[in-house]
Amino acid sequence: MSVYSFAITFATSGISLACTCIVSEEFAKNNFSKGITAVKTCIFFALILGLSASFLLFLLAPIISSNWLNGNVSNIPIYSISLGLPLISISAVIGGFLTSIGKSYKSAFAQCIELAIKIFATYFLVSFSITKGIDAICTSLIIGDVISELFSFLLNFIFYIIEKRKFKLSRSYNKELNIKIFKICLAIAVVLVIGAVSVNALKNSSNYKRAV
């Protein structure tokens, strides 16, 4: 799960907070078109981050399996993790947007649906893989999570389309806005990644001492 948490940290990288801050600021100035443009830009950045995280995880799966997990788990569960990362990153942005316009209850509703689907999907998948070894069980757990993330993404995207239609928009490109979003994401990403690496290092050190 530490590998999964680290992958999610990289995939989101503060993009949700960046979306919330900038959209709230622009909407407070009644710059609704600029605020929605910021959301679209954040979604684009989130897609890039999610796909990049998936690609890196896919490439590093053999190393993670052999070194981090000591060969106890094969590459298949790690490959499965990469499937849901783009969905998670985009959902995080939409959740930030809904929070910024005072509709956080919609994001919370999507999370409740996600949790319910995760419970049922995981129970169903694990019931078929419980006797097939640790690889099958881990893969079932991850696939159950990916299925729930897919439903959460679809629900969040529907909420985003509904809310976006309430504002009059004009097509525009704002270079300063893109740079501002990038700076916020970069600053938060550095802090989150350093924190995640530190926590994982402490856990691994503790496990090593116990083994010794």
Side-chain angles (χ1 to χ4, degrees), residues 188-209:
I188 297 174
V190 170
V191 174
L192 290 176
V193 170
I194 290 175
V197 170
S198 301
V199 170
N200 286 329
L202 289 173
K203 287 181 179 179
N204 291 334
S205 176
S206 176
N207 293 334
Y208 176 76
K209 289 179 180 179

Side-chain angles (χ1 to χ4, degrees), residues 69-129:
L69 303 178
N70 299 319
N72 295 322
V73 179
S74 71
N75 300 341
I76 297 176
I78 301 173
Y79 292 148
S80 302
I81 293 174
S82 64
L83 297 176
L85 295 180
L87 302 178
I88 293 173
S89 57
I90 295 176
S91 292
V93 171
I94 298 176
F97 165 66
L98 294 173
T99 299
S100 67
I101 62 173
K103 299 294 178 65
S104 56
Y105 65 89
K106 291 189 175 183
S107 179
F109 176 74
Q111 290 176 4
C112 290
I113 297 298
E114 174 190 340
L115 183 59
I117 293 174
K118 181 187 295 185
I119 292 172
F120 286 108
T122 301
Y123 175 80
F124 178 79
L125 292 171
V126 171
S127 64
F128 285 97
S129 61

Side-chain angles (χ1 to χ4, degrees), residues 129-141:
S129 61
I130 192 68
T131 60
K132 297 180 181 179
I134 187 66
D135 264 5
I137 294 173
C138 289
T139 303
S140 297
L141 292 172

Side-chain angles (χ1 to χ4, degrees), residues 134-167:
I134 187 66
D135 264 5
I137 294 173
C138 289
T139 303
S140 297
L141 292 172
I142 298 300
I143 294 299
D145 194 68
V146 170
I147 292 172
S148 66
E149 290 292 349
L150 175 61
F151 278 91
S152 177
F153 164 76
L154 292 174
L155 195 55
N156 274 313
F157 191 75
I158 291 171
F159 289 150
Y160 165 67
I161 296 298
I162 293 173
E163 295 300 330
K164 187 183 72 169
R165 288 179 177 176
K166 296 179 181 179
F167 304 100

